Amino acid sequence: MLNLSILKEMTMLQTAYPTPRITTPFPELYKRVERHIPPFEWSILADDIAAIFKLKKERNAVVLAHNYQTPDIFHTVGDIVGDSLALAREAARTDADVIVLAGVHFMAETAKLLNPAKTVLIPDLEAGCSLAASITADDIKLLRQRHPGVPIVTYVNTSAAVKAESDVCCTSSNAKKIVEALGVPRVIMLPDEYLAQNIAAQTSVKIIAWKGHCEVHELFTPDDVRQLRENHPGVTILAHPECPPEVVAEADFSGSTAAMSDFVAQRRPPRVVLLTECSMSDNVAVAHPDIEFIRPCNLCPHMKRITLKNIRHALETGQHAVTIDPAIAAPARRAVERMLAL
Ligand code: SF4
């Protein structure tokens, strides 16, 4: 039993020092991510988020965040969010002076190509991409020699130097449209072998592929798909076209990250799995709390190099500004703009 004098002392102490009310910073913002970020973690992140908001205002800056960024970036400081195509389009339209690319290096280069007069920052220079690293401008020159007259369609996941040697760019959203819009019987499509094979299955245009792979999507196997169906009866399986064709064949739908997101919003499957980078499910799930997302998790190590801390640092210091040799920028820009026009 509690001693009466102790009880009295406790009551006096409580009156003198009332328990502090714990407040959540940015409560409205937190509501968006509360299912993914515990309150104690949010209190730690809030300092960087507040600083980024302030710096964006001071520098007239915007943050472009790719679908594979974590929810603390995607749903809080990201001003423009989406897939590579959406980011490229919006990068061309923004009137901000500074663009911070919360994504990987080729995306920052694309933003710079479309905004040569603006400052484009990538928070970590090491944020690369296995597809972009799989091919060089010299490889393209050799391909042209080997297949004279065959147009080269280059996935945006490439360096500016590779884009500069290409006829037109594409993304996973518009690859089929671009290939067919050229009106030719054969195209070279690079560097993603699986994307090329998946598009080849949907068109009569003959596609010559390269041997590049996305290190995240190539990990999915047809066995994974069968296992998911067995373990989660009734699940709807959506696969990104960077997955191997045998995986796409086993899935219920295949499309870009934007197409997957639209599929979920429109068809509203009760249980769904997105065979793509891990954070994508977290980001889509925020808008659909009633849908069960099964999450086999393959993380992109390059995308995960971007953090709230280094976005803040980029805005504070102006690091790392993307520059592109003008001799490369002009033809690379033409290839991107041709895609946007098509
Ligand atoms: S997910 Fe794949 S394609 Fe996308 S940046 Fe990472 S390695 Fe490149």
Side-chain angles (χ1 to χ4, degrees):
M1 220 200 327
L2 204 55
N3 181 313
L4 264 184
S5 62
I6 295 178
L7 193 62
K8 201 171 156 198
E9 198 175 330
M10 278 172 67
T11 313
M12 280 167 60
L13 272 173
Q14 217 157 25
T15 316
Y17 305 103
T19 312
R21 220 177 117 246
I22 296 170
T23 53
T24 309
F26 310 117
E28 283 308 308
L29 207 53
Y30 183 57
K31 267 192 203 145
R32 294 190 206 165
V33 291
E34 64 188 354
R35 293 173 71 231
H36 303 280
I37 303 175
F40 74 92
E41 197 183 323
W42 179 253
S43 323
I44 299 166
L45 299 176
D47 182 42
D48 288 326
I49 292 172
I52 291 169
F53 278 134
K54 186 166 169 276
L55 287 158
K56 283 200 292 187
K57 218 168 171 181
E58 286 168 9
R59 309 261 193 277
N60 186 25
V62 286
V63 174
L64 270 55
H66 188 265
N67 287 331
Y68 295 162
Q69 290 300 303
T70 45
D72 58 325
I73 295 172
F74 189 90
H75 285 291
T76 63
V77 298
D79 299 290
I80 297 165
V81 296
D83 63 359
S84 306
L85 180 61
L87 296 188
R89 276 205 185 118
E90 295 306 323
R93 285 182 198 142
T94 180
D95 53 13
D97 295 318
V98 177
I99 296 171
V100 181
L101 211 306
V104 293
H105 193 262
F106 75 79
M107 294 175 181
E109 273 195 337
T110 308
K112 182 67 181 174
L113 287 174
L114 298 171
N115 292 278
K118 291 181 180 166
T119 301
V120 176
L121 304 174
I122 177 92
D124 186 329
L125 278 174
E126 299 296 314
C129 168
S130 65
L131 279 171
S134 73
I135 191 156
T136 65
D138 284 343
D139 293 328
I140 305 227
K141 287 177 193 156
L142 284 173
L143 278 168
R144 274 213 196 275
Q145 281 173 19
R146 206 174 296 159
H147 305 281
V150 180
I152 297 184
V153 180
T154 292
Y155 197 25
V156 283
N157 299 35
T158 45
S159 66
V162 165
K163 289 183 177 78
E165 295 296 329
S166 314
D167 295 294
V168 61
C169 287
C170 74
T171 67
S172 55
S173 307
N174 63 19
K176 178 172 179 268
K177 196 171 162 187
I178 301 282
V179 161
E180 293 182 342
L182 294 174
V184 293
R186 273 199 317 162
V187 302
I188 298 167
M189 191 173 164
L190 47 87
D192 189 344
E193 183 181 29
Y194 296 147
L195 177 68
Q197 289 171 346
N198 286 322
I199 298 300
Q202 303 167 32
T203 178
S204 57
V205 180
K206 186 174 178 327
I207 295 182
I208 301 162
W210 183 252
K211 282 274 180 207
H213 297 146
C214 162
E215 67 189 85
V216 174
H217 293 93
E218 72 175 348
L219 298 178
F220 293 109
T221 67
D223 259 0
D224 293 338
V225 182
R226 290 191 279 269
Q227 201 75 56
L228 282 161
R229 288 203 197 280
E230 213 175 297
N231 296 345
H232 307 280
V235 72
T236 301
I237 299 180
L238 317 186
H240 192 278
E242 287 170 15
C243 294
E246 314 82 65
V247 171
V248 169
E250 295 270 345
D252 299 301
F253 172 81
S254 174
S256 65
T257 53
M260 285 196 240
S261 186
D262 290 348
F263 183 102
V264 173
Q266 286 157 17
R267 308 273 194 96
R268 310 202 56 74
R271 272 182 147 184
V272 69
V273 57
L274 311 183
L275 297 181
T276 187
E277 211 271 351
C278 200
S279 295
M280 172 80 189
S281 295
D282 295 340
N283 291 329
V284 180
V286 166
H288 307 289
D290 52 326
I291 294 177
E292 184 191 354
F293 284 77
I294 317 289
R295 302 170 204 213
C297 201
N298 289 345
L299 284 171
C300 172
H302 312 290
M303 287 281 180
K304 272 27 196 194
R305 295 190 81 96
I306 308 300
T307 61
L308 284 170
K309 283 247 172 294
N310 59 23
I311 292 173
R312 176 179 180 172
H313 186 255
L315 283 163
E316 281 168 347
T317 62
Q319 284 177 348
H320 304 272
V322 175
T323 54
I324 306 171
D325 178 343
I328 287 174
R333 185 176 308 120
R334 265 201 301 279
V336 177
E337 283 175 347
R338 197 167 171 208
M339 167 186 82
L340 295 177
L342 284 171

